[in-house]
Amino acid sequence: MSEATGQANGRRRGPNYVLISKRESLGWSRRRAARELQRIGEARGLGTPELDALEKALYRHETGATVCRDPLYIELYCAAYKATAHELFGGVAPAAQVGERYGVRSHKFIAAYIGADRVAELAARELVTPGASHHGLGCMAREVEHDEGLCRLHVWPFGVAIFHLAEELAFPNVAHLAIWRRRTYVENLAWASRYIGNLVRAEAEASYVLSLYWVHSPIWPAHEIDTALRIMCFPKTLLARDPETSESSLAHAELVERSLLADGFEYPEMTSFGVKGISLGYASWSGVVYSPIALQRSLAEQELVSTELATQAIWAYCAHINEQVEQGRDPTVPAEYSWRFLRGVRSRLTNPRPQETDQHRFMRAAILDTSGLPGHLAQAIDILRETE
């Protein structure tokens, strides 16, 4: 295993106080920390050095005698101290190796409007039970079996159903994710339509899928990671409009990706909500991507998930109202979920909360604005007011 010495421009690097404080906060001596690193390495099937060598390396990394660039040590430290590489070592990180894959958790939100009566029926049959509240919108939920990941169905009393499917993925580049996304969206919509139709014992159709990507293990060098996440936020920019065979589509997507990584990628309807040194985050009409840099100071994954659940629930409800108008009908909705209800929802979603952090406010505003929900809500409120 290679290590870089701690000399830079003829000067010795200073101690790594983050590593030291992480260890000391756990009450560990260096020997105790070395044992923990060895235990983690053995549990993960890694070829870890002997205990004395681990303790010596830990001393050199903490004092700054050696710069920690070895992927093995970085993985062990991150696991032991429950922190990211950037949090522990700043900009010092191993370069991506050929064949390496980045780790990302995909959160898909698959929406369907089933009607308030059918939601009430599901509750009466005890097929759904009270679930969590998302931005003040209480819902009911049930666990759903899915071959590809963890899935939960959320239903709101105003008639919207949202499947939340979380899948753990690893890809060598964004092009593979773009191809996977296009293929699975079709499969997910068909599956969700069948499932909800069987559940409510009537014909039902899932209308769209929206994705949130939590990038927990990036592999790109510092000068490429921002562009890579921008592409991931709008992955269909890599794909031709008319899909060819999967092999040629992938080859084309990889070629486009390499070009964009070299030249940069800008998309006018993409909003950044990351905080320098803490996180990278982008939202667009196509979806959301977030990568924590300082895990203890960044947004929590569930905060993004909860915001998307609330956003997509109201988006699907407004879409149902607007669809009735476009079909030449006056929309009919339960009285308790008419324009006054939507006016209250708009206030809860768009106005800052007293104890809300800046990071959460930036994230919420970016997701709402790029989804087009504020305009969607305003139109639905006006329509319901006119037809009340």
Side-chain angles (χ1 to χ4, degrees):
M1 288 176 287
S2 62
E3 290 287 347
T5 61
Q7 302 296 320
N9 299 326
R11 294 181 299 173
R12 179 186 174 92
R13 285 181 178 269
N16 186 327
Y17 292 110
V18 177
L19 275 183
I20 295 171
S21 65
K22 289 286 186 182
R23 174 175 59 80
E24 291 181 345
S25 69
L26 294 169
W28 292 351
S29 65
R30 287 201 179 99
R31 190 70 173 181
R32 171 68 179 83
R35 288 197 191 95
E36 184 64 17
L37 297 183
Q38 189 176 59
R39 183 193 66 77
I40 292 171
E42 290 173 353
R44 297 188 175 199
L46 304 174
T48 51
E50 294 296 325
L51 188 62
D52 288 342
L54 281 169
E55 186 177 6
K56 181 179 178 180
L58 196 149
Y59 167 79
R60 293 174 65 81
H61 294 154
E62 287 188 351
T63 60
T66 299
V67 179
C68 182
R69 298 186 186 276
D70 192 307
L72 171 64
Y73 280 103
I74 290 175
E75 180 176 348
L76 293 176
Y77 284 132
C78 290
Y81 298 143
K82 296 180 174 56
T84 65
H86 192 283
E87 186 177 2
L88 296 176
F89 306 106
V92 178
Q97 303 296 316
V98 175
E100 193 174 357
R101 293 168 175 256
Y102 64 92
V104 56
R105 199 150 33 249
S106 163
H107 295 274
K108 288 175 180 167
F109 304 92
I110 312 166
Y113 182 82
I114 60 175
D117 291 345
R118 286 174 180 163
V119 172
E121 181 187 346
L122 291 178
R125 292 163 56 197
E126 298 184 346
L127 295 176
V128 291
T129 56
S133 175
H134 303 283
H135 288 266
L137 295 173
C139 69
M140 292 167 284
R142 66 178 277 137
E143 301 298 327
V144 175
E145 288 189 9
H146 196 283
D147 293 339
E148 303 302 325
L150 298 175
C151 189
R152 189 171 177 83
L153 173 63
H154 303 259
V155 294
W156 282 264
F158 43 85
V160 171
I162 304 280
F163 291 92
H164 171 214
L165 173 60
E167 300 165 274
E168 190 67 47
L169 308 170
F171 291 120
N173 52 38
V174 183
H176 277 79
L177 176 108
I179 295 291
W180 170 85
R181 175 181 180 267
R182 181 173 64 186
R183 172 180 57 80
T184 60
Y185 270 25
V186 176
E187 297 171 355
N188 294 152
L189 284 170
W191 168 83
S193 296
R194 288 194 303 271
Y195 187 95
I196 199 68
N198 291 333
L199 198 64
V200 301
R201 299 182 294 199
E203 186 174 344
E205 183 177 0
S207 53
Y208 68 87
V209 185
L210 184 124
S211 287
L212 157 67
Y213 299 120
W214 178 273
V215 183
H216 54 76
S217 304
I219 59 170
W220 301 275
H223 67 281
E224 288 185 350
I225 185 170
D226 190 71
T227 301
L229 294 183
R230 286 172 176 265
I231 299 170
M232 196 180 298
C233 189
F234 190 66
K236 62 183 177 182
T237 193
L238 303 179
L239 305 178
R241 282 196 303 273
D242 300 319
E244 304 165 14
T245 64
S246 58
E247 290 78 10
S248 61
S249 294
L250 178 60
H252 170 78
E254 289 178 325
L255 183 65
V256 175
E257 180 181 353
R258 287 195 294 272
S259 175
L260 293 178
L261 286 174
D263 299 336
F265 175 63
E266 297 289 340
Y267 183 64
E269 296 184 7
M270 185 179 297
T271 301
S272 169
F273 62 92
V275 178
K276 187 175 181 180
I278 296 178
S279 63
L280 292 170
Y282 289 98
S284 76
W285 174 259
S286 291
V288 177
V289 61
Y290 190 80
S291 183
I293 297 173
L295 195 59
Q296 302 302 318
R297 293 183 289 142
S298 64
L299 291 168
E301 191 169 358
Q302 185 55 37
E303 290 182 282
L304 280 84
V305 169
S306 183
T307 298
E308 276 295 3
L309 281 170
T311 300
Q312 299 312 315
I314 296 301
W315 203 99
Y317 185 48
C318 291
H320 168 69
I321 294 169
N322 293 331
E323 183 181 336
Q324 291 182 77
V325 173
E326 291 167 4
Q327 293 174 353
R329 305 198 307 265
D330 285 342
T332 56
V333 298
E336 64 269 36
Y337 300 114
S338 190
W339 66 270
R340 291 180 179 84
F341 164 74
L342 289 180
R343 183 178 62 182
V345 167
R346 180 171 61 183
S347 176
R348 285 197 296 273
L349 288 179
T350 59
N351 291 331
R353 301 291 98 182
Q355 297 184 358
E356 187 176 35
T357 66
D358 285 343
Q359 287 190 73
H360 195 280
R361 182 166 54 87
F362 297 154
M363 175 268 292
R364 180 175 47 76
I367 288 176
L368 290 174
D369 290 345
T370 55
S371 71
L373 183 58
H376 220 27
L377 263 171
Q379 185 177 9
I381 290 170
D382 288 343
I383 290 169
L384 294 178
R385 258 182 175 158
E386 292 172 4
T387 57
E388 187 174 73

